[in-house]
Amino acid sequence: KLNKRLSISGNNDELSKLAATFNDMLDRLEDYFKRQNAFISNVSHELRTPLSILKGYIELIDRWGKDNKDVLEESIGALKKEEQEMEILIERLLMLARGDNKTLNINKKLFNVYELIAEIVRDAKVIFNEKNIEIFCDKNLEVNADRNLIKELLRIILDNALKYTDVDGYIKISVEEVDKNVAIIIKDNGIGIPQEDIPYIFDRFYRVDKARNKETGGMGLGLSIAKLIVELHGGSIEVRSKLNEGSEFKITIPKV
Ligand code: ADP
């Protein structure tokens, strides 16, 4: 623990300033260590869960799988699913680390916004086919941005909209051109976010009330990645939400 702070007696201005700068650096270093520590323990925790599930299924296969085809098939299915979860977690951690090191490069190209949204919606419908998703977007609208990153960003927001609504979920995706920007608004009629949690939902590993999220899975990294991608593009992300009524995420990015 860095608990030593400089204190200067007397009234030497230069020295006092120097001490203040030094103490400020210590504060920031301490804060950094604290966050780094919390980050590592969160990562370890998030990896331990899928790992123990993998272990469980491996044991199951070992004991019963050789003689029982059903057990074998079910276990292999579950192993694949967990493996994918871990892959997503690692991809996301790498992306955040690259963002921190300023080594995450963006590769801008002109692409059609409607086509990208339609693609994501098609993928989402495979899993959430009972929910209603509508798109309002000019079919000719193009932006100059990193298509893969914007796809990841919209997928995160849409997945959340789907995860945090009931079976009668209705999701409206609308795209507007405002000056030199394009705004993509994803609105759901889901469980909403309590006002007091809103300032923190973009923080790494932050999840609103773990109990309420138990069945939905998730690691609390999605929105921190979303924010990183938006910032890399020089855009912004805003949220409006009302408990038990729904949430609205508005992403603004420059068209060129
Ligand atoms: P998670 O993996 O938990 O979904 P995120 O970073 O994507 O992590 O989101 C952080 C938290 O914000 C979620 O745990 C959830 O409580 C809340 N949240 C995000 N999107 C929505 C939404 N559309 N409706 C309600 N709550 C949401």
Side-chain angles (χ1 to χ4, degrees):
K1 189 154 169 54
L2 307 159
N3 51 7
K4 289 231 162 59
R5 293 289 183 272
L6 276 186
S7 76
I8 304 290
S9 46
N11 49 6
N12 185 324
D13 263 8
E14 286 300 303
L15 266 186
S16 302
K17 265 189 215 156
L18 209 61
T21 311
F22 181 78
N23 288 339
D24 182 52
M25 270 164 56
L26 282 183
D27 284 343
R28 279 197 273 167
L29 211 55
E30 194 171 283
D31 187 50
Y32 174 79
F33 282 140
K34 251 189 224 153
R35 277 186 292 139
Q36 201 66 3
N37 241 322
F39 187 70
I40 291 171
S41 70
N42 278 326
V43 171
S44 313
H45 177 81
E46 291 302 331
L47 281 170
R48 201 179 283 148
T49 313
L51 211 58
S52 65
I53 298 175
L54 289 183
K55 201 168 153 221
Y57 280 104
I58 290 171
E59 269 165 23
L60 204 65
I61 293 176
D62 210 25
R63 277 199 201 165
W64 317 101
K66 291 163 197 133
D67 311 312
N68 188 330
K69 203 156 166 283
D70 288 345
V71 170
L72 188 65
E73 269 173 19
E74 195 200 313
S75 306
I76 288 176
L79 284 174
K80 279 188 183 154
K81 196 172 146 269
E82 279 317 308
E83 186 262 341
Q84 275 169 2
E85 288 276 311
M86 287 178 90
E87 213 166 278
I88 293 175
L89 172 63
I90 291 175
E91 275 302 314
R92 291 190 165 175
L93 290 172
L94 273 176
M95 205 190 245
L96 287 170
R98 289 197 191 111
D100 288 349
N101 300 332
K102 312 261 180 265
T103 53
L104 187 66
N105 297 320
I106 66 171
N107 186 4
K108 282 191 178 184
K109 274 198 189 115
L110 212 59
F111 65 86
N112 182 296
V113 177
Y114 176 79
E115 277 167 20
L116 177 68
I117 294 176
E119 214 172 288
I120 298 161
V121 169
R122 209 181 309 127
D123 293 346
K125 287 222 164 134
V126 177
I127 309 172
F128 298 93
N129 59 347
E130 80 281 13
K131 296 191 184 175
N132 190 358
I133 310 171
E134 273 195 293
I135 309 172
F136 298 88
C137 176
D138 174 355
K139 293 199 174 160
N140 298 313
L141 177 65
E142 293 193 319
V143 297
N144 190 35
D146 188 312
R147 194 179 195 273
N148 288 334
L149 288 180
I150 300 293
K151 187 172 180 176
E152 175 75 8
L153 155 70
L154 295 178
R155 189 178 268 155
I156 289 167
I157 306 295
L158 178 61
D159 275 356
N160 278 346
L162 289 159
K163 265 188 343 195
Y164 301 114
T165 50
D166 285 328
V167 276
D168 60 347
Y170 169 68
I171 288 116
K172 183 175 158 189
I173 305 175
S174 35
V175 180
E176 294 164 7
E177 291 179 64
V178 194
D179 301 324
K180 293 187 169 108
N181 300 308
V182 16
I184 305 173
I185 299 146
I186 302 183
K187 187 175 163 46
D188 67 61
N189 63 347
I191 59 177
I193 306 165
Q195 288 308 308
E196 66 267 26
D197 290 290
I198 289 183
Y200 308 106
I201 57 170
F202 294 97
D203 293 354
R204 292 173 192 185
F205 294 108
Y206 191 83
R207 310 198 69 210
V208 176
D209 181 1
K210 292 216 173 209
R212 119 185 151 136
N213 285 340
K214 228 178 3 217
E215 320 111 60
T216 58
M219 304 166 283
L221 284 180
L223 288 180
S224 54
I225 301 265
K227 189 163 166 248
L228 172 67
I229 295 173
V230 166
E231 283 170 356
L232 278 172
H233 282 84
S236 63
I237 182 164
E238 290 160 45
V239 54
R240 291 200 304 171
S241 188
K242 214 160 180 203
L243 210 54
N244 303 317
E245 285 183 24
S247 311
E248 184 182 302
F249 285 81
K250 180 176 178 181
I251 297 145
T252 309
I253 51 164
K255 263 193 282 188
V256 287

